[in-house]
Amino acid sequence: MGAQPRPGASAPGPSGASGTSAASATGLLAAIADVGVDRVRGGYSRHGFDRAELALREWFVAESRARGLDVEVDRNGNLWAWWGKPGPNALITGSHLDSVPGGGAFDGPLGVVSALAAVDLLRARGFVPSRPFAVVVFAEEEGGRFGVPCLGSRLLAGTIDADTARRLRDPEGTTLADAMRKAGLAPERLGRDEESLSRIGCFVELHVEQGRGLIDLGRPVGVASSILAHGRWRFQFTGEGNHAGATPITDRHDPMLPASQLVLAARRAAAAAVGSRATIGRIVPVPGGTNVIASTVDCWLDARASDDATTRSLVTEIEAAARDAAAAEGCRLEVTEESYGDTVIFDPALRDELAGLLDDAPALPTGAGHDAGVLASQVPTAMLFVRNPTGVSHAPAEHAEPDDCEAGVAALAKVLEHLAGSER
Ligand SMILES: [Zn+2]
């Protein structure tokens, strides 16, 4: 195999966790660089409970055990690596290991490896946590397989119904329940997890920045201020499948026509509402033949705005345009909301406290959703961002320089050390 990446390979062994030397974030990322490489799209495709994500989970367990951390899997498939005894008022840090289809190397894994590296750094300094402490890995954060983002944290927080979650299907038709069962987990236990929730005293998630805020400010690390309200909607246009050559234009009910109008309407509506975003990133025509007029076209709208009302009115406007376009082509339209999260304002006192601790780190809003955003309504939550020199995320060009990654680890260690001794 030589230096060739091995997509979806079995878990690499623990690295840099000999118990004596501290691992670097980039060293830990290098250890998983071959797992889930996507040769077709580029970047990585690592989705909840697929081969690649399971290999990464196995790797995380091995890394945690090599550090003497005790790993638990909760009812919803999230992993918790405890430094010391699990208990209430715990200090929790971590992120996720899954990616979007063809995603970058940093979104998710950087927060997990930085947490492990921060444990090494704190331990090397002789730090012993004075309160329960764990590194968490949330399951299916991107929703890249089952369509609902932050699935592990939503289940934990009870913001998605367990039956609905069990029935979610991936593009191959496998349900979440079956995928979990295949991974050795028990989907009948899914649901709001009072025990795990009640143990979280404070959650800090480090994440690669998904934008250009820190580059423009010339700072390696920032803190999060807020997350846009955001959701996903499925638009299913149904027309009449037929022959591309034998069907006169006037006789057609081609659902691709209103689907294309939907793409344009989304851009138009978002451009008219300052700071809003609307994207159609996925279209699936059925049956999907070059010489076939599609019978149905499924499109997924991702819409985000500063507040709930603006997001809702954005989606209403886009849907109205799609309904008009469907009617004009003699097609039907069914719209389903697949997920929704209201605006998140991270605990301002905690945010300011951490920014102050980190040499007045800038506070940045983000358009990206996170597990920390889901938990913010339940427990004190904060996020640290690490500079991304490309500003690109959810794509192979996503990046963070090694020095910035280490600045992130140092910042996270400082924050954890501080919080370990605080009332939060
Ligand atoms: Zn992420």
Side-chain angles (χ1 to χ4, degrees), residues 23 83 93 113-123 133 409 412-413 416:
W83 182 0
T93 184
V113 301
S114 297
L116 292 173
V119 166
D120 291 350
L121 194 59
L122 288 170
R123 197 173 255 160
F133 184 118
V409 172
L412 181 62
L416 295 170

Side-chain angles (χ1 to χ4, degrees), residues 19 23 78 87 91 101 133 154 163 292 298 303 325 361 375 384 397 405:
N78 306 307
L91 187 52
F133 184 118
R154 278 181 209 261
D163 276 332
V292 183
D298 284 322
L375 292 185
L384 303 183
C405 292

Side-chain angles (χ1 to χ4, degrees), residues 95-96 98 107-108 141-142 205 207 210 369-370 394:
S95 191
H96 59 97
D98 66 309
D107 179 350
E141 192 272 347
E142 300 288 5
E205 180 172 2
H207 206 278
Q210 297 169 290
H370 298 286
H394 283 186

Side-chain angles (χ1 to χ4, degrees), residues 61-130:
V61 170
E63 285 290 334
S64 298
R65 290 200 177 130
R67 287 170 172 77
L69 311 181
D70 294 322
V71 183
E72 283 181 355
V73 188
D74 71 17
R75 303 166 45 169
N76 298 302
N78 306 307
L79 300 172
W80 304 76
W82 291 92
W83 182 0
K85 239 169 81 88
N89 195 31
L91 187 52
I92 309 290
T93 184
S95 191
H96 59 97
L97 290 169
D98 66 309
S99 73
V100 297
F106 297 85
D107 179 350
L110 183 63
V112 176
V113 301
S114 297
L116 292 173
V119 166
D120 291 350
L121 194 59
L122 288 170
R123 197 173 255 160
R125 283 186 204 151
F127 168 89
V128 178
S130 54

Side-chain angles (χ1 to χ4, degrees), residues 11-286:
S15 57
S18 60
T20 51
S21 64
S24 69
T26 35
L28 289 166
L29 284 176
I32 56 172
D34 289 353
V35 183
V37 171
D38 191 324
R39 291 182 184 283
V40 177
R41 302 178 180 101
Y44 293 97
S45 289
R46 302 158 162 171
H47 305 313
F49 311 112
D50 74 359
R51 206 167 147 227
E53 202 244 9
L54 290 174
L56 292 178
R57 290 161 71 91
E58 210 180 298
W59 168 83
F60 173 76
V61 170
E63 285 290 334
S64 298
R65 290 200 177 130
R67 287 170 172 77
L69 311 181
D70 294 322
V71 183
E72 283 181 355
V73 188
D74 71 17
R75 303 166 45 169
N76 298 302
N78 306 307
L79 300 172
W80 304 76
W82 291 92
W83 182 0
K85 239 169 81 88
N89 195 31
L91 187 52
I92 309 290
T93 184
S95 191
H96 59 97
L97 290 169
D98 66 309
S99 73
V100 297
F106 297 85
D107 179 350
L110 183 63
V112 176
V113 301
S114 297
L116 292 173
V119 166
D120 291 350
L121 194 59
L122 288 170
R123 197 173 255 160
R125 283 186 204 151
F127 168 89
V128 178
S130 54
R131 62 194 275 195
F133 184 118
V135 178
V136 67
V137 172
F138 287 109
E140 179 78 344
E141 192 272 347
E142 300 288 5
R145 181 169 179 192
F146 295 101
V148 175
C150 301
L151 189 54
S153 55
R154 278 181 209 261
L155 280 161
L156 167 73
T159 58
I160 181 170
D161 171 65
D163 276 332
T164 307
R166 275 188 282 266
R167 285 195 298 264
L168 291 170
R169 283 180 191 275
D170 71 6
E172 269 75 54
T174 305
T175 61
L176 174 68
D178 286 343
M180 288 186 77
R181 231 172 259 125
K182 206 173 155 208
L185 299 166
E188 56 280 3
R189 299 187 64 233
L190 289 181
R192 182 174 161 93
D193 184 347
E194 291 294 348
E195 191 193 348
S196 296
L197 267 179
S198 67
R199 290 197 299 215
I200 308 174
C202 181
F203 175 52
V204 182
E205 180 172 2
L206 178 145
H207 206 278
V208 68
E209 195 198 351
Q210 297 169 290
R212 307 189 49 88
L214 291 170
I215 320 171
D216 294 345
L217 292 165
R219 298 286 300 257
V221 175
V223 296
S225 56
S226 61
I227 296 180
L228 294 180
H230 60 283
R232 297 181 182 186
W233 292 262
R234 177 181 180 144
F235 284 61
Q236 182 169 65
F237 298 97
T238 304
E240 185 178 60
N242 212 330
H243 195 291
T247 316
I249 292 294
T250 48
D251 288 355
R252 296 183 179 204
H253 304 290
D254 182 350
M256 196 57 93
L257 270 288
S260 61
Q261 295 298 313
L262 169 65
V263 176
L264 299 173
R267 167 61 72 87
R268 218 169 28 238
V274 178
S276 301
R277 291 99 157 91
T279 307
I280 308 290
R282 186 172 160 218
I283 295 185
V284 179
V286 175

